[in-house]
Amino acid sequence: GWSYVARLLNSIPVNQASCTALDAFLQVAGFSMYSAFRTQFLKLLLSIRNQVVPQLREKGDKDDAAVISRLELYISEQRYARAPEGSEMVDQDSSSQVRA
């Protein structure tokens, strides 16, 4: 995960596509990264909030507003501290109750 994020933030220009990829990555892997690398992950989020989001906002493109909002909410609401929806396997599903 770290190498992907590092490559995304250091090698690719900040634009709607790169920030959408960053948002998708955080939604899927953010909880695991936070659980494993708590302090370092929080520093990464701080960098995203203080550097990446302002760079994207400076572009002034109205289409960027959605991804800016998603990144800001992810950080401000600490969504990384909760497992993503659907990540936990259920013990039983409804098919185990159905008899033909």
Side-chain angles (χ1 to χ4, degrees):
W2 281 114
S3 60
Y4 176 79
V5 172
R7 192 175 313 120
L8 189 63
L9 296 177
N10 294 324
S11 302
I12 299 174
V14 174
N15 57 36
Q16 183 180 7
S18 64
C19 287
T20 299
L22 177 62
D23 176 55
F25 175 81
L26 291 173
Q27 298 295 329
V28 173
F31 175 72
S32 295
M33 290 186 71
Y34 175 69
S35 298
F37 310 106
R38 193 168 304 253
T39 304
Q40 295 303 318
F41 184 71
L42 293 175
K43 289 179 185 178
L44 172 71
L45 294 178
L46 199 63
S47 175
I48 292 169
R49 187 185 72 199
N50 294 335
Q51 295 175 9
V52 175
V53 170
Q55 284 180 29
L56 188 61
R57 187 174 277 123
E58 283 177 7
K59 295 183 183 288
D61 189 346
K62 292 179 184 178
D63 293 334
D64 296 340
V67 72
I68 290 170
S69 176
R70 286 193 307 268
L71 286 170
E72 289 177 331
L73 285 173
Y74 182 83
I75 296 168
S76 68
E77 293 181 358
Q78 298 180 351
R79 293 181 182 176
Y80 51 84
R82 297 184 303 267
E85 283 187 37
S87 66
E88 296 179 14
M89 297 291 288
V90 293
D91 292 333
Q92 290 185 330
D93 64 1
S94 60
S95 66
S96 65
Q97 306 296 326
V98 177
R99 301 281 186 229

